[in-house]
Amino acid sequence: MTPAELKQLGQRILDDVAAASRDGDGITRESFGAGEERALQVLEQHAAALGLHAERDRYQNLWLRLPQDARPMPPVVIGSHVDSVPLGGNFDGLAGVVAGILVLLRMRHDWQSAPPIQVLALRGEESAWYGRAYAGSLALLGKLPRSALALTHRSGHGTLGQAMADSGIDVDAIGRGEALVGAGDIAAWLELHIEQGPVMVAREWPTAVVTGIRGNIRHNRIRCIGEAGHSGAVPRWLRRDAMLAVAQLLARMDEHWRVLLQMGMDLVMTCGICSTLPDSHAVSVIPGEVQFSFEVRSQDRDTLERFYALMQQECNALAAERGVRFELDEQLTSAPATMDSQWIARLSQAAIAAELSAETIPSGAGHDAAVFANAGIPAAMVFIRNANGSHNVHERMDMDDFMAGVEVLTGAIQATPVTQVTPATPPAAAAAAA
C-alpha cells in the first residue's frame, strides 16, 4: 500500500469503530461491555479483509499478526486498549491499535528484516467503569488482584468479575493469578497514544517520545461522616459539618501540593467526585455525610507515599477539630513506570530520520505501557499531538500526525536486531492455550 492508501485505511478503521460505539455526541466502549466487544469485532473484520491472522486469548484480548510470520522468537508487540470512558473520544487507546495494524501492513513484504511483530488490542484499561485501571493488562500478566473482581460497576449494579465472565473470560484463572504471557514472551511493548494534555499542541510537536508514566494512589470513595442538622438552629461551634470538613481537607491538600511543587516534586492531585447524599440533602440541612474521591499522581513513588501520608494526617486532624470521621474504601495503587532507554533512543532516532522533532515528554496520564514496564518487559511510547484534551468528545488527532507516529514506530522496529531469545511458543498462541 502507498502512504496515502495506508492513511485512508487508518481513517476508515477509526471511523468504523467509532460508528460501532457511537453514544450520542460521544463514544462509549465500556470495559468488558458491549461497546468494547463491538470495537473488537470491527477490528477482527478489518483484519480478515486485510489477510491478517487474528485470535483471541483466554482473557478475550485480540492478537493480530502477519500470517506468514510464525517465527517462535519473542515479538515486538504494538498495542493499546479499545475501551473508553463514558461519552469519551474515539482516539484514546484505539489509535494505538490501528497504528499497529498499519505497521504490520508496512512490513508485510519485508517482515524478515525485523523482529516478529504482533498487535494487541487490550480490554479494560479505563478506571471509569469499575474504579480499577489496567484491568486487562494486569490480568494478562497475572497481576490483577483477586479483590478487584469484586469491584462494583459505576452504576452500583454488577461487578468486574461478572462483566469479565459475561465477556467469555476465564475469571477463575484470573482469580488464581494465571499469567497468559510473561517477560520472556515479549521482546518489547510499544504503544502509540494521543497526548491527553495541551503540551504538544502548545509547543507544536506532531510527535514526541515518552520518558515515563505517572503512577497513582486513589480512593474511589471516602466517606466523611458528621452530623446532619437544621441550617438555622445549630451554631458554628456545635456543628459537625461534613461538607466544610471535606472542603477544609482539600484546601489543606492543595496547599501541600503547592509547597511540594515549589520543592521541585512531580505531583498532581484531583478530587473528581464530591457529593452530599441525594436522598437527604437540602438547602436547609447541614450535611451529615459527604462522599468524595481522592487521587494523587506522580512519577516518583516516594512522592506518592509522602503526599498520601499527609492526606491521612490531615484527615485525623480534621476529625479531631470538627468532630467528624473519615472512612476510606480500598486503596488502589498503580506504580510509576520508566520507559526503556534503548527504545527511547530508537524511537528518537527514527523521528530524526523521518525529519520529525525528537522531543521527549513524560506522561501524566496512565497507560498499559506502565504495566508491561513494571513486569520487566521493555516498554516505550510515542505520543501524538491532540487538541482539546481527552476523556471527552472533542479529541482531535490529525491524521498526518498519526501517520508520522506510524513512521516513527516502523523506523524504530526496523532498526532493532533480529537476534533474540526464543520462547517455547509465541505469546499469542501461549495466551490462547494457557
Side-chain angles (χ1 to χ4, degrees), residues 82-150:
V82 296
D83 60 331
S84 76
V85 299
L87 295 175
N90 191 43
F91 306 123
D92 178 3
L94 178 63
V97 178
V98 177
I101 293 173
L102 298 191
V103 172
L104 276 182
L105 296 176
R106 285 199 54 176
M107 298 297 297
R108 189 195 292 271
H109 301 297
D110 194 25
W111 57 272
Q112 290 176 309
S113 67
I117 303 168
Q118 294 193 21
V119 176
L120 177 55
L122 282 161
R123 306 193 72 150
E125 187 262 3
E126 299 289 359
S127 63
W129 299 100
Y130 295 94
R132 181 76 181 190
Y134 314 142
S137 53
L138 286 169
L140 180 71
L141 292 159
K143 297 182 179 299
L144 184 69
R146 177 187 288 271
S147 60
L149 298 174

Side-chain angles (χ1 to χ4, degrees), residues 383-423:
F383 267 178
I384 303 300
R385 174 172 50 187
N386 163 61
N388 304 325
S390 183
H391 283 190
N392 66 63
V393 302
H394 304 296
E395 290 175 357
R396 197 177 73 212
M397 178 188 73
D398 186 274
M399 285 303 292
D400 287 336
D401 292 349
F402 173 72
M403 294 306 297
V406 171
E407 180 73 19
V408 171
L409 286 174
T410 306
I413 292 170
Q414 288 175 325
T416 306
V418 180
T419 54
Q420 311 216 10
V421 177
T422 302

Side-chain angles (χ1 to χ4, degrees), residues 1-12 403:
M1 286 186 176
T2 66
E5 290 171 334
L6 281 173
K7 179 179 174 181
Q8 291 172 357
L9 174 63
Q11 184 69 70
R12 187 162 62 250
M403 294 306 297

